Amino acid sequence: MWRVGAKLVVGATLLGGGAAGVNIFTSDDISTAFNICTLVPVRLLRDSLTAATIAFDYGYSLWGLKEGSIEWSKAKHEVHNRCALRLQELCFRNGGIYIKLGQHIGQLEYVVPQEYVHIMRTSMLKRCPFSSYDQVRKVLTRELGGLPEEIFEEFDPVPLASASLAQVHAARTHDGKNVAVKVQHTHLTDTATADIATVTLIVNALNWFFPEFDYRWLVDEIRESSPKELDFLFEARNSEKCLENFKRLSPHIADCIYVPKVSQAFAEMIFRHGFVHCDPHAANMMVRPLPSGRKNLFGQKKPQLILLDHGLYKNLDFATRVNYASLWKALIFADVNGIKENSVKLGAGEDLYALFAGVLTMRPWNRVIDPSVDHLILEGSDTDRSELQMYASHYFTQISELLRRLPRVILLMLKTNDCLRAVNHVLLQGSSLETYLIIGRVSSKAVSEAKIISSNCFILSGLSLWLEQMLLEARLFSMRIALWLLHIQKTLYYRTKKKEI
């Protein structure tokens, strides 16, 4: 194991020297370049030592223990916790791209051990770095050509919030408009390039020595998405396009964008718009009463969901969007043939389509194809969590192969799916039938609309669409009734048990 660590350290040193040289000779700001060159080798060495320590800890702690035994399970749980804390500390010390990576790991319930998921999920959104006001002034001067007090009538030096890549300040323009100013952390663009190279080195090295540890797809995704997230003009265009899509394609909920129920908004984006916000974790969403809305009989206004951070979007081409919508429609209604057909079309293959369905729904195959109305609902109980952990551990190798096969756009849909599931679990301590009814309705509508586009006879297609919608609503209504009866049955059962006790 120490040989693995030694090779990682040597590779990091070589890469660090190369990155440092490139920065010196290509940067217009020599002082900044030298500053970066002093940081990069330290970060590379820190990465390598952490990776080597983790590799040694796993090898030493599990050495000689029989796989599956009580001693092995206990030792594995302990080493998972120790190594997750080491990785957490590495992400915090390096910051920037590393925190984004840690946030992503916190959503991968079906891939990484639960200890990593828990530690990353509970910490990565709460300890993001802050830039000093002097650093903020330098960034604004470089990007906008003036100091905050010159560009704005008022500018609060204390940030409202900070994320992995930037922080937000309240300000007021000279024409009296209140605005939020998003300021990127200093020198992040330069260090991000080196950080991606570092992470790539570590992940590739670990995969070389431990073939079952294959997270190269995650590095590929970060390499592609990071430059876009660092381009705030690109983010501004994304936010405008997102809002325009709701006005044009989903006018029935457009007044709630800033948006209504989370599942409704993202179902519309994924299945009908094909332009998807792919980072919907809790820190990127807020809910407020609709400012222009009227109060109902109970004195309440309609809720409005505000989507923040528009740096990470993904376009779904027509075929991918329709196949993904068809797959979710099949999942909601336990259509085995539809699940297999569309999973294969999306790249899972005929041997892993059942596993793909399990990853999407976090349910084992026998539950996915169960015709009962609540077959996909997660209660958030200890039993559910244990089942998911066992499922992920048992099929770890197959899951890694599945993720290697799937197109990166589908990998981002998985990440989006995981983020939404995490938000639902916080709000509902599980999932609800309402979520799946929304997904079923929107995905079915998207499939029907695609049939009209592909048809030559729009009148007959329109009639067919209307009939399909009527049948769909009848089916969804019957599911609601069945669930209502199920709730009554469970309530009576528990009351009877309570009386017996």
Side-chain angles (χ1 to χ4, degrees):
M1 289 298 171
W2 284 115
R3 290 181 180 178
V4 176
K7 292 181 179 179
L8 287 173
V9 171
V10 170
T13 303
L14 293 174
L15 183 61
V22 169
N23 271 291
I24 289 175
F25 288 107
T26 59
S27 177
D28 295 329
D29 187 339
I30 299 299
S31 62
T32 298
F34 272 106
N35 184 37
I36 292 170
C37 290
T38 59
L39 290 175
V40 169
V42 173
R43 292 154 81 91
L44 287 165
L45 184 61
R46 187 184 295 148
D47 290 354
S48 301
L49 290 174
T50 300
T53 303
I54 288 174
F56 177 80
D57 197 353
Y58 273 98
Y60 179 79
S61 300
L62 302 178
W63 185 269
L65 298 179
K66 183 180 179 181
E67 185 173 349
S69 66
I70 295 176
E71 294 80 8
W72 180 85
S73 298
K74 181 180 178 181
K76 193 171 185 180
H77 169 69
E78 291 173 351
V79 74
H80 280 337
N81 265 326
R82 287 196 302 272
C83 294
L85 289 170
R86 290 188 184 108
L87 185 58
Q88 176 198 59
E89 183 60 24
L90 176 69
C91 292
F92 284 139
R93 292 186 71 182
N94 283 351
I97 297 299
Y98 285 82
I99 292 180
K100 296 292 291 186
L101 180 64
Q103 290 172 353
H104 199 145
I105 291 173
Q107 307 298 333
L108 300 178
E109 288 183 280
Y110 50 85
V111 179
V112 300
Q114 190 63 27
E115 292 85 353
Y116 285 82
V117 172
H118 174 73
I119 287 173
M120 294 299 175
R121 186 175 288 177
T122 55
S123 63
M124 284 296 135
L125 296 177
K126 297 177 180 178
R127 284 181 54 187
C128 291
F130 283 87
S131 294
S132 68
Y133 187 53
D134 284 340
Q135 291 173 323
V136 169
R137 287 163 60 88
K138 290 178 181 178
V139 171
L140 286 176
T141 300
R142 184 178 69 240
E143 298 294 331
L144 301 181
L147 294 171
E149 55 269 27
E150 298 170 348
I151 299 171
F152 300 97
E153 182 70 28
E154 295 179 13
F155 188 93
D156 190 344
V158 179
L160 295 171
S162 181
S164 57
L165 305 182
Q167 63 191 42
V168 176
H169 292 257
R172 178 177 297 165
T173 61
H174 288 290
D175 60 0
K177 184 181 295 184
N178 292 323
V179 295
V181 183
K182 186 173 182 179
V183 184
Q184 198 168 109
H185 294 311
T186 315
H187 309 317
L188 191 56
T189 303
D190 296 310
T191 58
T193 302
D195 288 344
I196 292 171
T198 310
V199 174
T200 301
L201 170 70
I202 300 300
V203 171
N204 286 338
L206 287 173
N207 177 247
W208 176 266
F209 292 104
F210 308 102
E212 70 277 8
F213 185 95
D214 191 356
Y215 289 88
R216 290 173 294 177
W217 59 270
L218 181 56
V219 175
D220 290 340
E221 182 52 49
I222 290 175
R223 185 186 296 112
E224 179 181 312
S225 63
S226 292
K228 297 177 181 177
E229 292 189 77
L230 292 170
D231 184 347
F232 288 177
L233 292 177
F234 181 79
E235 178 178 350
R237 290 191 293 270
N238 282 344
S239 64
E240 292 171 356
K241 183 176 180 179
C242 175
L243 188 59
E244 177 60 30
N245 280 345
F246 276 100
K247 291 179 179 178
R248 181 169 56 89
L249 300 173
S250 305
H252 56 294
I253 59 171
D255 65 333
C256 295
I257 302 301
Y258 291 103
V259 169
K261 296 176 182 176
V262 175
S263 299
Q264 174 92 30
F266 281 86
E268 295 277 343
M269 278 193 279
I270 293 170
F271 302 129
R272 300 190 64 216
H273 303 180
F275 185 68
V276 188
H277 186 306
C278 291
D279 202 17
H281 57 69
N284 283 343
M285 294 185 286
M286 297 189 298
V287 178
R288 69 179 181 186
L290 186 65
S292 59
R294 294 181 178 179
K295 295 182 179 180
N296 59 21
L297 294 175
F298 301 100
Q300 299 173 330
K301 290 185 176 182
K302 289 175 61 178
Q304 185 181 62
L305 178 69
I306 304 172
L307 295 180
L308 305 173
D309 194 346
H310 298 270
L312 184 57
Y313 272 75
K314 208 69 175 180
N315 282 295
L316 298 178
D317 62 60
F318 180 78
T320 301
R321 178 172 63 82
V322 173
N323 291 335
Y324 193 61
S326 299
L327 173 57
W328 267 107
K329 178 182 178 182
L331 289 169
I332 299 301
F333 299 121
D335 175 4
V336 178
N337 292 331
I339 293 171
K340 181 177 181 180
E341 176 186 349
N342 291 288
S343 293
V344 171
K345 287 180 179 179
L346 290 170
E350 296 199 2
D351 56 332
L352 294 180
Y353 72 89
L355 185 62
F356 186 31
V359 167
L360 280 170
T361 61
M362 299 300 286
R363 299 278 73 185
W365 179 246
N366 64 320
R367 288 287 300 274
V368 171
I369 60 176
D370 188 334
S372 61
V373 293
D374 59 345
H375 68 295
L376 297 182
I377 293 178
L378 288 165
E379 300 295 343
S381 63
D382 291 336
T383 301
D384 271 337
R385 281 190 288 271
S386 298
E387 184 179 26
L388 292 176
Q389 291 172 25
M390 181 184 68
Y391 191 72
S393 176
H394 186 69
Y395 291 102
F396 179 83
T397 303
Q398 293 92 326
I399 290 173
S400 295
E401 171 60 19
L402 173 66
L403 298 178
R404 185 192 66 78
R405 290 184 190 180
L406 293 174
R408 287 218 300 273
V409 67
I410 297 300
L411 293 177
L412 265 203
M413 292 305 101
L414 292 180
K415 178 200 173 186
T416 303
N417 193 36
D418 293 337
C419 287
L420 294 174
R421 184 185 292 116
V423 171
N424 268 336
H425 281 195
V426 172
L427 295 175
L428 305 173
Q429 296 301 305
S431 56
S432 70
L433 182 65
E434 183 68 22
T435 298
Y436 292 109
L437 292 179
I438 291 171
I439 293 173
R441 177 178 289 110
V442 180
S443 61
S444 298
K445 186 174 183 179
V447 172
S448 299
E449 289 172 343
K451 290 179 181 178
I452 291 181
I453 294 173
S454 304
S455 174
N456 293 324
C457 184
F458 288 95
I459 296 178
L460 291 178
S461 296
L463 291 174
S464 175
L465 173 61
W466 179 82
L467 180 59
E468 281 190 25
Q469 286 298 115
M470 292 301 100
L471 293 174
L472 172 66
E473 291 299 331
R475 188 171 186 178
L476 294 175
F477 180 74
S478 67
M479 290 176 69
R480 288 181 183 276
I481 295 298
L483 187 67
W484 179 66
L485 293 174
L486 182 64
H487 280 318
I488 292 177
Q489 181 182 356
K490 286 183 177 180
T491 301
L492 293 175
Y493 172 79
Y494 287 124
R495 285 181 179 177
T496 303
K497 282 289 185 183
K498 190 174 181 180
K499 287 181 179 179
E500 291 177 356
I501 295 174

